Amino acid sequence: MVGFVLTGHGDFSVGLDSSVKMIAGPQEEFDVVPFHEDEAGEFPQKLGDAIAASAERNDGVIVFCDLMGGTPFNQAMMNTQVAPGVEVVAGTNLPMLLEVLTTRTPESTTQELVDCAVEAGKEGVVHMVLSVDDESDADSDELGL
């Protein structure tokens, strides 16, 4: 199986974890490591330990981060040099996590799940507009509204 580690600034990872549990229930091999400013000194070790432990238990690890270039992302990238089979995905969103969690099987490869995550993340960002039906406008005009 591929293990997942979710991290990000503040309570980003905690909030997403809460949403995942509400929608899809508790997940196997899904660890959460929040980054709080007052714990900045301990964060590299906490994240490194979570990634290393997941790598020991699994065939690969994907670290999901909130954004590229921040401390969680930078620390995750540094861990790719230490632990083999670790991949990092930035720009994590809820649709992405739900898709990879429901797609993941014991036979899934890290690369398959990374590809799935990136695609689902993109598809999960949409702009919707609720348009007013032209018939409703005509009815309003007839009523003098």
Side-chain angles (χ1 to χ4, degrees), residues 134-145:
D134 286 341
E135 256 183 59
S136 297
D137 287 344
D139 291 342
S140 295
D141 289 342
E142 289 173 12
L143 297 174
L145 301 176

Side-chain angles (χ1 to χ4, degrees), residues 35-118:
F35 171 58
H36 293 113
E37 192 173 6
D38 60 339
E39 300 171 346
E42 297 92 42
F43 178 74
Q45 186 68 48
K46 284 183 180 180
L47 183 61
D49 289 349
I51 291 169
S54 186
E56 285 181 28
R57 296 188 308 264
N58 296 292
D59 298 323
V61 179
I62 302 174
V63 182
F64 293 94
C65 301
D66 53 356
L67 66 119
M68 186 172 67
T71 298
F73 173 82
N74 293 338
Q75 290 298 316
M77 289 302 295
M78 290 170 75
N79 276 276
T80 65
Q81 301 303 301
V82 178
V86 176
E87 299 290 337
V88 179
V89 174
T92 301
N93 60 34
L94 186 57
M96 172 192 294
L97 287 178
L98 292 171
E99 185 67 25
V100 295
L101 285 165
T102 58
T103 301
R104 179 176 62 168
T105 67
E107 295 80 29
S108 298
T109 68
T110 305
Q111 189 59 56
E112 288 170 342
L113 292 171
V114 165
D115 292 344
C116 174
V118 171

